[in-house]
C-alpha cells in the first residue's frame, strides 16, 4: 500500500494531550479571523459542545449567545458542535481586531464551558492566545463535566506591550510552577538531550508543512498511548475521507513501549525560547538561550 503521509517516509509524531500545532490553521480553514490584534482560539477532539467564553474588562461576556465585543471590535466568529456532534476537530475563535478599540491595562478572562458532554474519549482541550506574534498555549488534559466551566487564563493588554501580566488556572508558559513529575522527568530541571532532529516532514530535501525541532530527552516516557497520526499528516487525495480518518486516528493508538523517542518539540509557527546547558569542554559548561 502507498504511504499515508504527504512526505516520503512512514514516520509520524504525536503531541502531549494528542493535540496538534495546527489550531490556528484549523480556525482559518473553518472561516475564523486569525489576523486580529488578539486571537483566542479553542480546539478539541470529540463530539462535546465546548464553548469559549471571554469576559471583557467592562463585564461583557463574549459567548455563543452574545457573540460581539462590547464596542463591535470583533467577537466570536466560530461556534462548533452546537446542537449535535458534527466534528471531532472542533474549534471556536474570539478575535479583537482594532488595537485602538481594545481596553488597555485591565483584566480579560478566558473560560471554557462544556455546554453538552457527549463522549468520554479524546477528552481535554487546547487554548491559544495570540497577540503581536506571541502565542501562549494552555492545555487541559481532563474531561470537562457536563455544564462545567474551566477557568483557563486571565491577561492584561496594552498596545505597547501586547499581552502581559498573564495568569492561568491550568497551565501557563508565563509562570514557573513548582517542580513536578511529567513523563518520568522532573520539571524546572536540566535533562540530558540524546538526539536533536527535525520532524519527519522535513527529512532530506522535502519541506511538507510546518517544521518542528525535536529535543529527545533521556528517560522521557509518555505514559499514554498516543495517536498514530493526525489528519494534517495525510496525503491530499485522502483528505476527502477526513471523517473516516478522524475515527481511525482516534482509535489506532501506539502501543506503550520503553523504546520511545520522547521529549520537547518546537514549531516554526510559534515563537519560543529555551535555556540549555551546553558542555564547552570536558569540565566546563555554558548556559545558552536558543530561540525558535
Amino acid at each position: 500500500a502507498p504511504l499515508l503521509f504527504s512526505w516520503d517516509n512512514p514516520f509520524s509524531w504525536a503531541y502531549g494531550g494528542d493535540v496538534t500545532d495546527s489550531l490556528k490553521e484549523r480556525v482559518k480553514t473553518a472561516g475564523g479571523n486569525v489576523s486580529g490584534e488578539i486571537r483566542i482560539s479553542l480546539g478539541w477532539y470529540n463530539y462535546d459542545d465546548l464553548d469559549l467564553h471571554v469576559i471583557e474588562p467592562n463585564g461583557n461576556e463574549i459567548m455563543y449567545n452574545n457573540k460581539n465585543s462590547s464596542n463591535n471590535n470583533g467577537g466570536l466568529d466560530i461556534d462548533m458542535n452546537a446542537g449535535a456532534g458534527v466534528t471531532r476537530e472542533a474549534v471556536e475563535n474570539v478575535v479583537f481586531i482594532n488595537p485602538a478599540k481594545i481596553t488597555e491595562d485591565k483584566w480579560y478572562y478566558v473560560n471554557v464551558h462544556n455546554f453538552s458532554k457527549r463522549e468520554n474519549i479524546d477528552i481535554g482541550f487546547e487554548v491559544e492566545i495570540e497577540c503581536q506574534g506571541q502565542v501562549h498555549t494552555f492545555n487541559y488534559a481532563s474531561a470537562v463535566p457536563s455544564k462545567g466551566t474551566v477557568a483557563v487564563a486571565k491577561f492584561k493588554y496594552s498596545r505597547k506591550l501586547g499581552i502581559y501580566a498573564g495568569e492561568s488556572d491550568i497551565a501557563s508558559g508565563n509562570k514557573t510552577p513548582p517542580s513536578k513529575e511529567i513523563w518520568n522527568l522532573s520539571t524546572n530541571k536540566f535533562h540530558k538531550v540524546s538526539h536533536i532532529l527535525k520532524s519527519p516532514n522535513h527529512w532530506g530535501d522535502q519541506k511538507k508543512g510546518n517544521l518542528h525541532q525535536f529535543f529527545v530527552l533521556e528517560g522521557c516516557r509518555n505514559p499514554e498511548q498516543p495517536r498514530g497520526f493526525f489528519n494534517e499528516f495525510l496525503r491530499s487525495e485522502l483528505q476527502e475521507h477526513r471523517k473516516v480518518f478522524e475515527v481511525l486516528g482516534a482509535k489506532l493508538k501506539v502501543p506503550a513501549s520503553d523504546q520511545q523517542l520522547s521529549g520537547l518539540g518546537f514549531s516554526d509557527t510559534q515563537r519560543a525560547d529555551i535555556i540549555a546547558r551546553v558542555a564547552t569542554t570536558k569540565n566546563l559548561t555554558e548556559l545558552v538561550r536558543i530561540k525558535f
Side-chain angles (χ1 to χ4, degrees), residues 190 192 275-288:
F190 287 106
K192 187 174 182 180
I275 300 295
R277 188 167 64 192
V278 180
T280 55
T281 65
K282 183 177 181 179
N283 298 316
L284 295 177
T285 60
E286 180 180 349
L287 293 180
V288 298

Side-chain angles (χ1 to χ4, degrees), residues 30-45:
N33 185 340
V34 297
S35 59
E37 174 72 356
I38 301 176
R39 174 182 64 87
I40 305 169
S41 302
L42 163 68
W44 69 101
Y45 286 91

Side-chain angles (χ1 to χ4, degrees), residues 137-159:
T137 302
F138 306 87
N139 292 311
Y140 188 77
S142 302
V144 184
S146 182
K147 305 303 181 183
T149 298
V150 175
V152 177
K154 67 177 183 179
F155 63 88
K156 293 182 179 180
Y157 165 83
S158 76
R159 287 187 286 276

